[in-house]
C-alpha cells in the first residue's frame, strides 16, 4: 500500500451533484458517490462480480470484506452489501478462505459433546484472544459460543451462533486455526435433532396422513367446481390473530 | 442513514394512532378482509394487469403466450454457444443424476437421489447454497396441529391464494407431504422455534385460515439451507458439487430424451459436458430480470436460466403471466432498497399505515392484494409517504409488535432485520419501516406433474423453476415448502428413472439448432444470448469507456 494513496481524499462532486468519496479497492483508488454500499460502489467503479456477491441482502456470507481507515491501526470488517463506504477506506473482499470441515454421520450419533471434540480437537487450541468475535460482521460472540461448546452446553452455543452466515472471517483470524463456523453448524444440528424436545403433534399428524385420515376430504375438495370451491373458501373459519395456542374451530369436520 | 427530520415528523402521525390500533387489535377488531369481488377490483392496480408490460412469445412450445417482455427477451435469444463447435464425444463427467441448481430444491433432490443409491452431481452457478432459499425469512407452512388444522384447510388456502387456478394434483401433493418435510428437517437438525414442551411455534401468514407458519427466528430459509447443505457435504462421496458452473444448455439424445447438460465455468470460460441418466432442473426464479423495472428481493443469480434452457429443449411454460411482488420491500434507506421485510411482521400484528396515520388494508390479505393496495394508496390516492430520493412508500408499523407482545419482541423475533436497520441508525422497535412492493417470486415456470416429471423424458423439475402449484399467486411459507416437497420427490423419482435406464444413445444439441432455426423463421433478429447468468449492473459512465472491439479468450 502506497501511503500517499491513503490520505483522506478531498470531497468532490459528480456532474449530477452527488458528493464523491475516495475508496481504495485492493490499493487502487476509485471515486464513488457517498452513501453507496461497498458492493454498489464496486459496481459503480466498473467491477462485475462473479465471486464475492450473493444474496445482496446480508444473509448468504459471500461478501465478507476487510478494510482499514487512513491513520487508524484497527482492522474493520463488514459485508460489502451492507456496509456504506467511507472516505479514504481501503479494502479487500475475502470471498473464500480454506476451512477444515469434518464429515460425520448425524443419524448414528448421540448428543455426547465428545463426538464433536473427536472431530474437532482443535477446539481446545482456543487461546481466548477474542479476535473471532471482533471480526464477526454479524456481531456474534464467536469466542463465547466456542467456549460454550467446550463446556458441552450445545443449546447455549446454538443460540449464540444462530445468526452465523458462515462468511468465514472468524476462521481467517483464528490463532488456534480452527474453522469455527463448521463446528457451530455440527453443534446446531445436534441440538436441533438430539437435544431439543420432540414435537409429538407433528408425529401424530404425519401418522394420520399416512393412515389416510384426510384422503377422502382432499379427494372431495379436488373434485369441486371452481364456484363451489370459492364458496367453501369464503366460508372457512379463521383462527383469530390473537387466539391462544389451544384454540379450536367450531367446525371439526375436516380435522 | 437514519430517518431525516421530515420523515421523523411523519412518524409522529403514525404514533398518534398507534395505541388506538393496538387496542382494537387486542380485541380482535380488525379491518375487514376484502371479499373476492373487492379483491378483484383492487387487483387492477397490480403490475400483472398492465398490458403494455407484456408481449406474445413468437417461438417455442408455448408460442403465443403473453408474458413479461423481460422474460420473452430471454426466450427469444440465441444459445451462448454454437452447437457445431461442441464436441459431444468428449464427455467430462458421467453421473446417474445431474441436479442443476444448488439451492433448497436442488440440495434436497440430491439428498433423496443419493438415498436411492444414485451418484449425484450438483452443478450450480455461484456457491452451493447461494439461492433465494437462503433469503426466505418468514417460514414454512404445514398443517401439523391436528386439533385445529389439517391438509384440507391448507389446500383451501393455497387454492384461494392462487385464484383457484392452481393445478389440484400439485396442491394435493404439496399439502399432504408438508408435515413429513418438517419432520425430516427436524431429524436433520434444523432448529425450528419451539415451546419448552416441544410444540412447534406457528404464526399466521397472508391468506392462511390457521396459524401454520413454522419458523426459525427470522432466518428460516438460511437455517434450512445451511442444514441440508451440511448434510450434502457429509455425503460428498456420492454428491459432488461443481460451483461457479451454470448449465447453459441441456443435452438430449437421438431419441429426444434428456441425457445431460453443458456447463460453463464462469471463471475460466470453458464449457464442460455432463452425461447424466436423469436431470433435475432446480434453478429457481428470475427476480434479477427486474420485470417492469421493479426492485427485487432476489438473489444475484436469479435470472431464469433453467426456464430458458428447458424451453429450448421443448418443455412448455405456465403461470408466468403472473409475477409476485412482495408487498413489503425496503424503500428507505436507499442502500437497502428492495430488501425483503418478512411477512412475519404483519403476521405478528404490524399494520400498514399511510401518510395520514391510517390503516388502508388488513395486513393479512394475500400478497398480490396487499401489493396492489399499497400501489393504489401511493399512486392513485396520493397518500404515500415521500422518500428523500423521490419515491413513495407506506409505513409498516413494527413498534406496535412490542406494544402487543411485550418489549423486546421485535429484537428477539426479528434479529436479522433489527441489526440491518440498526446499522443505518434506525431502531425498528421504536420507529416504523418505510416499504413498497418489490419483485419477489416467479409464480409460474416449467410445466411438470406431481412426480416432478416433465414432457421431456429424463428431465425433472423442482421448486421455483416449475409452475402450477401456486396458481397465479403464492402464499407466504409455501415456497420453502414447495422446494422441499418437490425437491425430495424429484430426487427420488429421478434416481429411480436413472436406475431403469441402460442405453443412453448418441448425445446431441440438435434441439438448439432447431430452436435457432425457429427464431429465424419467426423473423426474430437479435444478438441477444441467453441464459443471462448474471445481471449487468455496469453503469453508463463505465460502459462508454469499455471499447474492446472483440473478446480475445478471457481478456475482455
Amino acid at each position: 500500500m502506497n501511503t500517499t494513496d491513503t490520505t483522506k481524499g478531498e470531497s468532490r462532486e459528480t456532474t449530477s451533484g452527488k458528493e464523491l468519496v475516495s475508496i481504495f479497492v485492493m490499493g487502487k483508488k476509485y471515486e464513488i458517490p457517498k452513501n453507496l454500499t461497498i458492493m454498489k460502489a464496486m459496481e459503480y467503479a466498473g467491477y462485475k462480480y462473479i465471486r464475492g456477491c450473493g444474496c445482496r441482502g446480508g444473509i448468504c456470507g459471500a461478501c465478507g470484506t476487510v478494510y482499514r481507515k487512513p491513520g487508524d491501526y484497527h482492522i474493520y470488517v463488514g459485508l460489502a452489501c451492507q456496509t456504506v463506504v467511507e472516505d479514504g477506506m481501503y479494502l479487500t473482499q475475502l470471498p473464500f478462505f480454506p476451512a477444515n470441515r469434518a464429515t460425520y454421520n448425524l443419524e448414528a450419533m448421540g448428543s455426547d459433546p465428545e463426538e464433536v471434540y473427536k472431530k474437532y480437537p482443535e477446539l481446545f487450541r482456543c487461546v481466548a484472544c477474542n479476535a473471532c468475535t471482533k471480526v464477526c460482521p454479524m456481531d456474534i460472540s464467536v469466542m463465547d459460543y466456542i467456549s460454550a461448546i467446550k463446556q458441552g452446553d450445545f443449546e447455549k452455543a446454538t443460540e449464540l451462533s444462530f445468526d452465523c452466515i458462515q462468511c468465514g472471517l472468524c476462521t481467517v483470524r483464528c490463532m488456534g486455526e480452527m474453522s469455527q463456523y463448521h463446528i457451530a453448524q455440527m453443534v446446531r444440528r445436534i441440538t436441533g435433532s438430539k437435544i431439543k424436545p420432540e414435537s409429538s403433534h407433528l408425529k401424530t399428524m404425519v401418522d394420520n396422513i399416512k393412515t389416510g385420515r384426510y384422503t377422502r376430504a382432499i379427494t372431495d375438495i379436488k373434485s369441486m367446481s371452481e364456484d363451489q370451491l370459492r364458496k367453501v373458501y369464503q366460508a372457512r373459519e379463521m383462527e383469530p390473530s390473537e387466539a391462544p395456542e389451544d384454540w379450536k374451530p367450531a367446525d371439526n369436520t375436516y380435522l | 442513514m437514519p430517518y431525516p427530520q421530515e420523515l421523523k415528523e411523519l412518524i409522529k402521525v403514525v404514533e398518534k394512532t398507534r395505541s388506538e390500533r393496538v387496542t382494537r387489535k387486542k380485541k380482535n377488531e380488525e379491518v375487514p378482509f376484502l371479499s373476492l369481488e373487492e379483491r378483484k377490483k383492487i387487483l387492477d392496480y397490480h403490475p400483472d394487469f398492465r398490458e403494455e408490460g407484456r408481449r406474445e412469445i413468437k417461438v417455442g412450445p408455448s408460442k403465443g403466450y403473453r408474458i413479461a417482455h423481460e422474460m420473452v427477451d430471454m426466450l427469444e435469444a440465441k444459445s451462448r454457444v454454437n452447437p457445431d463447435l461442441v464436441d459431444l464425444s468428449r464427455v467430462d463427467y458421467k453421473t446417474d443424476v445431474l441436479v442443476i441448481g444448488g439451492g433448497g430444491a436442488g440440495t434436497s433432490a440430491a439428498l433423496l437421489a443419493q438415498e436411492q443409491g444414485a451418484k449425484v452431481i450438483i452443478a450450480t452457478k455461484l456457491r452451493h447454497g447461494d439461492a433465494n432459499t437462503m433469503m426466505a425469512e418468514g417460514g414454512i407452512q404445514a398443517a401439523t396441529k391436528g386439533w385445529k388444522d389439517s391438509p384440507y384447510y391448507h389446500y383451501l388456502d393455497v387454492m384461494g391464494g392462487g385464484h383457484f387456478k392452481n393445478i389440484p394434483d400439485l396442491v394435493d401433493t404439496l399439502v399432504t407431504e408438508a408435515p413429513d418435510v418438517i419432520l425430516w428437517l427436524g431429524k436433520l437438525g434444523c432448529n425450528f422455534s419451539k415451546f419448552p414442551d416441544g410444540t412447534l411455534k406457528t404464526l399466521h401468514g397472508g391468506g392462511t385460515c390457521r396459524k401454520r407458519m413454522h419458523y426459525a427466528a427470522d432466518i428460516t430459509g438460511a437455517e434450512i439451507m445451511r442444514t441440508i447443505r451440511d448434510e450434502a457435504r457429509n455425503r460428498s462421496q456420492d454428491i459432488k458439487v461443481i460451483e461457479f458452473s451454470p448449465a447453459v444448455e441441456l443435452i438430449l439424445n437421438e431419441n429426444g430424451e434428456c441425457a445431460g447438460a453443458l456447463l460453463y465455468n464462469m471463471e475460466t470460460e470453458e464449457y464442460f459436458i455432463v452425461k447424466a441418466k436423469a436431470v433435475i432442473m432446480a434453478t429457481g426464479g428470475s427476480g434479477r430480470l427486474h420485470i417492469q423495472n421493479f426492485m427485487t428481493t432476489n438473489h444475484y443469480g436469479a435470472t431464469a436460466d433453467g426456464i430458458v434452457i428447458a424451453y429450448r429443449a421443448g418443455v412448455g411454460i405456465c403461470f408466468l403471466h403472473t409475477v409476485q411482488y412482495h408487498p413489503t420491500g425496503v424503500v428507505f434507506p436507499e442502500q437497502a432498497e428492495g430488501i425483503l421485510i418478512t411477512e412475519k411482521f404483519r403476521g405478528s400484528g404490524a399494520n400498514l399505515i399511510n401518510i395520514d396515520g391510517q390503516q388502508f388494508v388488513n395486513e393479512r390479505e394475500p400478497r398480490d392484494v396487499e401489493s396492489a393496495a399499497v400501489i393504489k394508496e401511493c399512486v392513485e390516492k396520493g397518500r404515500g409517504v415521500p422518500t428523500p430520493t423521490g419515491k413513495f412508500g407506506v409505513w409498516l408499523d413494527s413498534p406496535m409488535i412490542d406494544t402487543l407482545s411485550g418489549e423486546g419482541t421485535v429484537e428477539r423475533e426479528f434479529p436479522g432485520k433489527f441489526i440491518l436497520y440498526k446499522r443505518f441508525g434506525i431502531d425498528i422497535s421504536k420507529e416504523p419501516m418505510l416499504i413498497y412492493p418489490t419483485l419477489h417470486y416467479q409464480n409460474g415456470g416449467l410445466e411438470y406433474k406431481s412426480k416432478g416429471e416433465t414432457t421431456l423424458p429424463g428431465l425433472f423439475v423442482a421448486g421455483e423453476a416449475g409452475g402450477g402449484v401456486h396458481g397465479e399467486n403464492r402464499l407466504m411459507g409455501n415456497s420453502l415448502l414447495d422446494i422441499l416437497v418437490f425437491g425430495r420427490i424429484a430426487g427420488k423419482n429421478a434416481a429411480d428413472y436413472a436406475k431403469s435406464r441402460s442405453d443412453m444413445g448418441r448425445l446431441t444439441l440438435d434441439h438448439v439448432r432447431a430452436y435457432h432455426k425457429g427464431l429465424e423463421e419467426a423473423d426474430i433478429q437479435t444478438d441477444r444470448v441467453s441464459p443471462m447468468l448474471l445481471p449487468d449492473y455496469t453503469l453508463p459512465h463505465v460502459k462508454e469507456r469499455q471499447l474492446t472491439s472483440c473478446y480475445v479468450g478471457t481478456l475482455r
Side-chain angles (χ1 to χ4, degrees):
Chain A
M1 188 88 218
N2 180 340
T3 47
T4 55
D5 269 351
T6 64
T7 50
K8 203 171 162 67
E10 297 146 46
S11 190
R12 286 219 290 274
E13 286 194 353
T14 60
T15 43
S16 60
K18 277 196 175 171
E19 205 181 323
L20 296 173
V21 295
S22 299
I23 65 164
F24 299 83
V25 178
M26 292 175 280
K28 186 164 163 53
K29 181 175 173 179
Y30 289 95
E31 294 199 317
I32 302 294
K34 220 175 135 174
N35 289 334
L36 291 184
T37 58
I38 292 171
M39 182 165 284
K40 287 190 174 169
M42 296 277 286
E43 287 172 337
Y44 181 91
Y47 283 84
K48 183 165 179 178
Y49 282 104
I50 292 180
R51 284 186 187 261
C53 172
C55 71
R56 303 174 75 101
I59 188 70
C60 80
C63 67
T65 303
V66 183
Y67 62 95
R68 279 191 149 102
K69 302 178 193 182
D72 181 345
Y73 69 85
H74 287 292
I75 293 175
Y76 294 89
V77 291
L79 299 174
C81 71
Q82 302 284 303
T83 309
V84 176
V85 292
E86 289 173 53
D87 196 26
M89 148 193 269
Y90 52 114
L91 61 91
T92 189
Q93 282 189 248
L94 285 174
F96 182 85
F97 192 80
N100 172 47
R101 182 187 175 283
T103 297
Y104 58 98
N105 184 342
L106 185 75
E107 212 179 342
M109 277 172 38
S111 61
D112 187 347
E114 283 298 329
E115 305 253 24
V116 176
Y117 305 157
K118 264 190 285 178
K119 294 284 182 186
Y120 292 107
E122 64 268 35
L123 263 169
F124 296 93
R125 300 187 65 211
C126 174
V127 295
C129 72
N130 210 29
C132 48
T133 299
K134 280 193 196 162
V135 83
C136 179
M138 297 302 284
D139 299 331
I140 292 169
S141 306
V142 183
M143 190 184 82
D144 290 347
Y145 83 60
I146 289 296
S147 120
I149 294 171
K150 288 197 290 185
Q151 288 156 17
D153 191 345
F154 283 9
E155 276 189 273
K156 187 175 172 193
T158 295
E159 202 180 301
L160 289 174
S161 71
F162 205 67
D163 289 339
C164 174
I165 56 171
Q166 310 192 338
C167 69
L169 286 175
C170 50
T171 300
V172 176
R173 296 282 286 146
C174 183
M175 281 180 73
E177 299 170 275
M178 72 178 89
S179 305
Q180 297 92 329
Y181 66 98
H182 281 316
I183 308 175
Q185 179 65 67
M186 181 179 181
V187 166
R188 282 195 304 273
R189 289 187 63 196
I190 292 173
T191 307
S193 61
K194 321 270 173 190
I195 299 174
K196 290 241 187 90
E198 290 189 358
S199 315
S200 58
H201 63 95
L202 175 60
K203 276 203 170 131
T204 310
M205 178 57 84
V206 170
D207 290 344
N208 283 343
I209 288 173
K210 277 191 184 135
T211 53
R213 184 179 175 120
Y214 309 104
T215 313
R216 179 71 195 277
I218 300 255
T219 312
D220 287 353
I221 201 173
K222 270 170 80 178
S223 62
M224 274 184 200
S225 70
E226 194 178 313
D227 275 354
Q228 277 177 301
L229 198 57
R230 280 177 190 274
K231 275 185 204 132
V232 178
Y233 176 75
Q234 282 280 55
R236 76 208 198 285
E237 193 178 346
M238 303 294 279
E239 179 176 355
S241 123
E242 298 300 303
E245 183 59 28
D246 58 358
W247 174 85
K248 285 190 181 76
D251 178 6
N252 61 9
T253 320
Y254 300 105
L255 293 181
Chain B
M1 50 169 71
Y3 288 122
Q5 200 50 42
E6 314 88 82
L7 287 176
K8 282 195 191 262
E9 289 301 320
L10 290 171
I11 288 173
K12 287 184 187 156
V13 182
V14 180
E15 287 167 347
K16 221 176 257 174
T17 59
R18 186 176 296 141
S19 70
E20 180 233 331
R21 285 182 284 111
V22 167
T23 313
R24 268 191 284 134
K25 187 113 202 161
K26 279 188 173 158
K27 286 194 275 184
N28 279 318
E29 285 171 17
E30 306 212 43
V31 170
F33 286 102
L34 300 177
S35 68
L36 289 177
E37 290 70 40
E38 290 169 316
R39 275 189 191 176
K40 214 176 157 212
K41 254 190 178 165
I42 206 163
L43 283 174
D44 282 344
Y45 293 89
H46 193 279
D48 280 352
F49 293 84
R50 280 190 70 237
E51 271 309 312
E52 62 272 32
R54 46 179 145 177
R55 70 172 192 266
E56 272 185 17
I57 316 168
K58 287 199 226 151
V59 67
S62 302
K63 197 156 109 180
Y65 186 28
R66 284 177 70 81
I67 55 176
H69 292 296
E70 293 81 358
M71 186 67 84
V72 178
D73 284 347
M74 290 298 103
L75 299 175
E76 294 182 351
K78 290 181 190 137
S79 175
R80 298 181 70 94
V81 290
N82 175 355
D84 295 342
L85 296 180
V86 182
D87 180 0
L88 291 169
S89 68
R90 257 179 67 187
V91 173
D92 299 289
Y93 304 93
K94 271 188 198 166
T95 188
D96 296 325
V97 175
L98 169 66
V99 180
I100 304 174
T107 306
S108 55
L111 291 174
L112 268 285
Q114 187 267 351
E115 284 169 25
Q116 298 297 307
K119 291 278 184 193
V120 181
I121 288 178
I122 298 178
T124 185
K125 179 159 59 187
L126 298 167
R127 303 170 309 161
H128 188 191
D130 278 343
N132 284 332
T133 302
M134 195 61 108
M135 309 175 72
E137 304 180 347
I140 176 165
Q141 281 200 46
T144 64
K145 299 183 171 175
W147 63 92
K148 61 179 173 189
D149 200 7
S150 78
Y152 172 91
Y153 294 102
H154 192 177
Y155 184 97
L156 258 186
D157 287 344
V158 175
M159 294 300 287
H163 308 162
F164 306 98
K165 303 294 184 210
N166 321 45
I167 296 170
D169 277 347
L170 296 179
V171 182
D172 178 357
T173 306
L174 182 81
V175 301
T176 309
E177 292 290 320
D180 198 38
V181 159
I182 306 288
L183 189 65
W184 179 68
L185 289 170
K187 279 185 189 155
L188 289 173
C190 190
N191 287 276
F192 285 109
S193 299
K194 288 178 180 179
F195 292 105
D197 70 349
T199 304
L200 291 155
K201 291 189 180 175
T202 50
L203 286 169
H204 263 311
T208 58
C209 69
R210 304 292 144 90
K211 293 182 193 167
R212 73 168 79 85
M213 193 74 54
H214 301 71
Y215 57 94
D218 66 344
I219 55 167
T220 314
E223 171 65 355
I224 291 173
M225 188 68 241
R226 66 194 182 189
T227 301
I228 59 177
R229 177 177 62 193
D230 191 68
E231 183 57 24
R233 286 173 174 163
N234 276 344
R235 303 184 198 174
S236 58
Q237 293 283 31
D238 300 323
I239 301 175
K240 183 184 169 69
V241 182
I242 309 177
E243 295 184 326
F244 297 95
S245 298
V248 295
E249 291 301 344
L250 289 173
I251 296 171
L252 308 190
N253 69 8
E254 59 209 324
N255 307 320
E257 297 158 335
C258 193
L262 188 62
L263 307 186
Y264 173 58
N265 180 335
M266 293 199 297
E267 295 183 310
T268 64
E269 305 196 6
E270 292 168 283
Y271 290 85
F272 292 93
I273 291 163
V274 185
K275 189 172 179 175
K277 291 179 181 165
V279 177
I280 299 171
M281 193 62 81
T283 47
S286 55
R288 291 282 158 190
L289 300 185
H290 293 289
I291 287 167
Q292 296 193 32
N293 273 326
F294 265 80
M295 55 184 191
T296 184
T297 60
N298 277 197
H299 195 275
Y300 187 46
T303 53
D305 302 358
I307 288 179
V308 173
I309 65 177
Y311 190 76
R312 266 186 204 136
V315 181
I317 50 180
C318 59
F319 292 99
L320 280 174
H321 58 283
T322 68
V323 173
Q324 184 165 83
Y325 298 83
H326 195 290
T328 55
V330 178
V331 65
F332 180 91
E334 197 191 359
Q335 303 94 309
E337 191 181 275
I339 289 180
L340 175 96
I341 300 301
T342 168
E343 194 162 323
K344 202 178 134 199
F345 276 96
R346 286 176 289 131
S348 304
N351 294 153
L352 287 180
I353 303 296
N354 65 18
I355 192 166
D356 302 324
Q358 300 305 322
Q359 267 180 285
F360 53 92
V361 64
N362 186 298
E363 61 278 2
R364 284 189 291 109
E365 296 284 1
R367 284 180 174 171
D368 51 352
V369 174
E370 204 81 45
S371 290
V374 174
I375 293 171
K376 183 181 178 189
E377 197 68 13
C378 293
V379 176
E380 196 206 49
K381 296 200 171 166
R383 289 199 288 249
V385 180
T387 77
T389 52
K391 300 189 172 178
F392 286 90
V394 298
W395 299 110
L396 177 60
D397 197 13
S398 47
M400 70 181 283
I401 297 173
D402 269 15
T403 324
L404 277 167
S405 308
E407 210 151 297
T409 309
V410 170
E411 187 177 355
R412 188 180 64 249
E413 293 290 326
F414 304 96
K417 284 297 158 293
F418 187 83
I419 293 170
L420 173 77
Y421 274 88
K422 205 175 92 181
R423 286 198 195 106
F424 298 125
I426 296 170
D427 178 349
I428 57 168
S429 68
K430 300 201 165 56
E431 293 178 308
M433 292 176 268
L434 203 49
I435 59 93
Y436 195 75
T438 171
L439 183 50
H440 187 55
Y441 188 77
Q442 169 187 285
N443 289 317
L446 298 165
E447 288 172 344
Y448 70 107
K449 295 223 171 75
S450 56
K451 288 200 154 81
E453 76 274 33
T454 65
T455 51
L456 177 62
L459 182 71
F460 297 76
V461 172
E464 193 174 352
V469 67
H470 306 297
E472 295 183 342
N473 175 51
R474 175 180 64 81
L475 294 186
M476 171 200 187
N478 280 340
S479 179
L480 282 177
L481 180 61
D482 172 10
I483 59 170
L484 297 164
V485 165
F486 289 101
R488 282 167 20 120
I489 287 173
K492 185 181 174 302
N493 291 320
D496 287 347
Y497 182 89
K499 258 185 233 167
S500 70
R501 194 168 179 182
S502 50
D503 180 27
M504 289 291 289
R506 182 180 57 84
L507 302 185
T508 162
L509 285 171
D510 280 348
H511 67 286
V512 178
R513 292 187 187 90
Y515 197 85
H516 283 169
K517 211 170 152 216
L519 289 171
E520 261 173 50
E521 282 165 8
D523 205 21
I524 297 161
Q525 283 162 8
T526 176
D527 45 16
R528 275 193 307 269
V529 293
S530 65
M532 177 193 273
L533 303 184
L534 292 174
D536 187 1
Y537 293 133
T538 314
L539 294 159
H541 74 270
V542 173
K543 276 202 170 146
E544 66 197 21
R545 289 178 196 273
Q546 292 178 325
L547 297 169
T548 308
S549 57
C550 143
Y551 287 81
V552 184
T554 52
L555 293 177
R556 288 186 287 189

